[in-house]
Amino acid sequence: MSDISATFVRLHARLGPVAFVPEVRLHQADEPIGLWELTEGEFSSAQPPPFWAFAWAGGQGLARYVTDHPEVVAGRRVLDLASGSGLVAIAAARAGAAAVRAVEIDERAVAAVALNAEANGVRVDAELADILDGDAGDAEVVLVGDAFYSEAMAKRMLRFLLRAARTGGARVLVGDPGRAFLPRDRFRELAGYDVPVPEALESVRVKHTTVWELNPGLPGAAR
């Protein structure tokens, strides 16, 4: 974690409880649009948007599920992919995971994960990397919150998750608030929640969010 990135996170985000998972505290931005413009983060840009500064609905739903069902991760090695703020990784660590690895492509997100883990008194190994063309390592559980927001990302993500499940034997859980590019036919529903979200980000105050489990054995699934 670079000092510059950590300072940026502290300067632009305030530590406070997560709306739907108040057991966890995160550094969150009070006003999303200004920070988005400050970091030049748009979907059309090469700059990663400041996903780390908000508790997105998919992550909140998945973190809630892990918190309420600790047996999913307890004693297991966990990978939180596209970790953002680290919310899901922190929930897994609090639920008794043996080890938690949080991977991000944004240096500021890595700093946010480290700061947030420290604030919650848990250990999370935050890593700056794009591993989607590789594998999940020794992870026994792979968690993904709200990552199916674009077609390109969804295709890469699905291939990675299928490899993690088929080759590595990992259990794969995804939190998603109805994004257009989640291939629902590849998953089975575990739980549904109505999650409070910033209206400035989602244009609504509540997003219905589903926690899904990947079914890696479906015929015709991407390889």
Side-chain angles (χ1 to χ4, degrees):
M1 172 176 61
S2 76
D3 291 340
I4 293 175
S5 293
T7 298
F8 187 92
V9 171
R10 291 191 184 99
L11 182 63
H12 294 285
R14 179 170 52 87
L15 186 64
V18 176
F20 200 59
V21 196
E23 299 93 331
V24 176
R25 296 190 304 154
L26 297 178
H27 288 83
Q28 301 170 76
D30 291 321
E31 201 286 301
I33 303 305
L35 180 59
W36 206 279
E37 293 174 347
L38 177 65
T39 58
E40 301 178 348
E42 299 176 351
F43 289 110
S44 60
S45 170
Q47 278 292 113
F51 292 129
W52 56 267
F54 314 103
W56 297 85
Q60 289 197 66
L62 186 53
R64 182 75 267 159
Y65 186 83
V66 168
T67 297
D68 293 342
H69 300 85
E71 68 278 2
V72 171
V73 298
R76 293 179 170 86
R77 296 181 298 276
V78 174
L79 169 63
D80 178 26
L81 196 56
S83 186
S85 65
L87 169 58
V88 176
I90 291 164
R94 293 185 73 258
V100 182
R101 177 188 177 203
V103 176
E104 254 292 344
I105 62 168
D106 182 354
E107 184 175 340
R108 288 170 181 160
V110 172
V113 172
L115 290 171
N116 289 333
E118 182 180 8
N120 286 275
V122 296
R123 175 173 178 176
V124 172
D125 295 321
E127 178 180 340
L128 180 67
D130 181 346
I131 65 171
L132 288 184
D133 293 327
D135 59 48
D138 64 355
E140 298 169 280
V141 180
V142 178
L143 304 174
V144 183
D146 218 335
F148 289 83
Y149 50 80
S150 73
E151 185 176 10
M153 179 66 162
K155 288 179 177 178
R156 292 189 71 206
M157 183 65 71
L158 181 61
R159 293 189 188 101
F160 177 91
L161 297 179
L162 285 168
R163 286 195 301 275
R166 290 172 172 173
T167 305
R171 185 180 184 188
V172 176
L173 272 61
V174 169
D176 184 83
R179 303 300 184 202
F181 299 102
L182 178 76
R184 292 166 182 78
D185 59 333
R186 305 300 185 198
F187 295 83
R188 69 181 184 95
E189 182 175 341
L190 297 180
Y193 305 103
D194 290 325
V195 179
V197 292
E199 189 173 9
L201 285 178
E202 300 281 12
S203 300
V204 296
R205 294 183 182 275
V206 175
K207 291 282 285 186
H208 185 75
T209 298
T210 304
V211 176
W212 304 89
E213 180 171 7
L214 178 67
N215 181 350
L218 285 173
R223 297 180 182 277

